[in-house]
Amino acid sequence: MSPKTPKWRELADRLAAEIASGVYQPGDPLPHIRTLVAEGYGSKTTVSAAYTALETEGLVTTSRGHGTTVRRRPPQNIRRHQERYNWEKKLAQSPIGERSNNGVVEKDTGLDHDQVECHAVFNAEPASSEMATRFGVEVGTLMLHRHYWHSTPGDSVALSLIDSYLVHAVAARNPDLLDSEREPWPGGTHHQLSTIGIEIDRIDDAIRTRVATAAEAKKLGIPPNSAVLLLDKISTSTSGDVVEYSHVVLPGERTELQYAVPLERWATA
């Protein structure tokens, strides 16, 4: 005989189903705890436990003075890396009009170009030991650190957090590449590097996961202690030099990585 489902779990499941069916829309408040107690859904402890479960599961947020509301979720990130990287490289050679109205964020999320805001901050900083090893340069070599995050218009929640690095002296061959005010750059990093005679030949990804820091959770709009995906992306030029490194933090609950791997066929007899 299976154990009986606790009352708080029954209530949490009921409210989750109502959220999924649209009875409660993103931003809508859930009933006050005292209301559900009065309607016979259980004690204050039971209802509070149900709301805590919904918050832990990422369906609602609770704040002092505002009660419990259904979470507003930014769009999903669906990243098909083999297709994505080739598409981005091809875009770099497209006319300015096409480059200006397309980007990888739009491709990943399905949003239109005018539904995405780009936020960028650039700094010059010396290479750490780890960064020097990645690029094959001396420790202390000046690097261009580019911090990006994207959002829907007027929203403070980031779709992802990106820290991108270039060797400063290389980027400085085109001074425009040092100017964050020129972001979003039509055609992205591929086109930026093409303006200084660099073609990316290979991209290597390393993906791992961990619990989000408090700052990451707040910026990505995810519950505390949620999982994030960490993507380390290294771009190598046709001459064999590492020309760009990106560290990307993606919200686990909103990110799907898709891969299609062609396999070599067995030789026929």
Side-chain angles (χ1 to χ4, degrees), residues 152-165:
T152 54
D155 196 350
S156 62
V157 173
L159 303 178
S160 63
L161 304 172
I162 305 168
D163 288 286
S164 168
Y165 297 84

Side-chain angles (χ1 to χ4, degrees), residues 130-137 143 165-167 242-245:
E130 177 186 356
M131 199 63 60
T133 299
R134 288 188 185 278
F135 280 86
V137 298
M143 307 296 294
Y165 297 84
L166 305 169
V167 175
V242 172
V243 291
E244 193 259 353
Y245 162 69

Side-chain angles (χ1 to χ4, degrees), residues 203-263:
I203 293 176
D204 291 279
D205 286 344
I207 301 167
R208 61 191 190 280
T209 186
R210 62 161 167 75
V211 173
T213 65
E216 289 168 345
K218 181 178 181 180
K219 193 61 185 174
L220 293 168
I222 56 179
N225 300 316
S226 294
V228 290
L229 294 172
L230 306 178
L231 167 64
D232 288 315
K233 172 174 162 279
I234 296 174
S235 298
T236 304
S237 71
T238 52
S239 62
D241 298 317
V242 172
V243 291
E244 193 259 353
Y245 162 69
S246 290
H247 177 73
V248 186
V249 182
L250 297 154
E253 65 174 20
R254 301 197 308 265
T255 302
E256 181 177 331
L257 304 178
Q258 297 184 356
Y259 291 89
V261 182
L263 302 179

Side-chain angles (χ1 to χ4, degrees), residues 75-78 80 103-113 115-116:
Q76 289 283 111
N77 282 296
I78 300 178
R80 303 175 180 90
V104 289
V105 175
E106 293 91 322
K107 183 174 179 60
D108 292 342
T109 60
L111 296 171
D112 292 333
H113 183 67
Q115 294 177 300
V116 176

Side-chain angles (χ1 to χ4, degrees), residues 33-137:
I33 290 176
R34 62 178 177 272
T35 300
L36 293 180
V37 171
E39 292 177 355
Y41 286 100
S43 66
K44 180 179 178 181
T45 299
T46 296
V47 178
S48 295
Y51 277 15
T52 297
L54 293 175
E55 185 171 22
T56 300
E57 292 158 14
L59 296 177
V60 303
T61 58
T62 301
S63 59
R64 187 180 300 275
H66 293 87
T68 301
T69 58
V70 179
R71 280 184 65 205
R72 299 181 186 275
R73 290 200 185 199
Q76 289 283 111
N77 282 296
I78 300 178
R79 297 171 69 106
R80 303 175 180 90
H81 280 185
Q82 292 100 319
E83 174 190 331
R84 182 187 200 267
Y85 293 154
N86 281 298
W87 178 88
E88 186 180 14
K89 183 172 181 177
K90 183 178 180 181
L91 180 67
Q93 291 191 310
S94 300
I96 180 65
E98 185 175 348
R99 285 188 281 113
S100 297
N101 291 307
N102 290 280
V104 289
V105 175
E106 293 91 322
K107 183 174 179 60
D108 292 342
T109 60
L111 296 171
D112 292 333
H113 183 67
D114 60 2
Q115 294 177 300
V116 176
E117 288 186 351
C118 175
H119 312 267
V121 177
F122 290 5
N123 291 296
E125 57 188 53
S128 64
S129 176
E130 177 186 356
M131 199 63 60
T133 299
R134 288 188 185 278
F135 280 86
V137 298

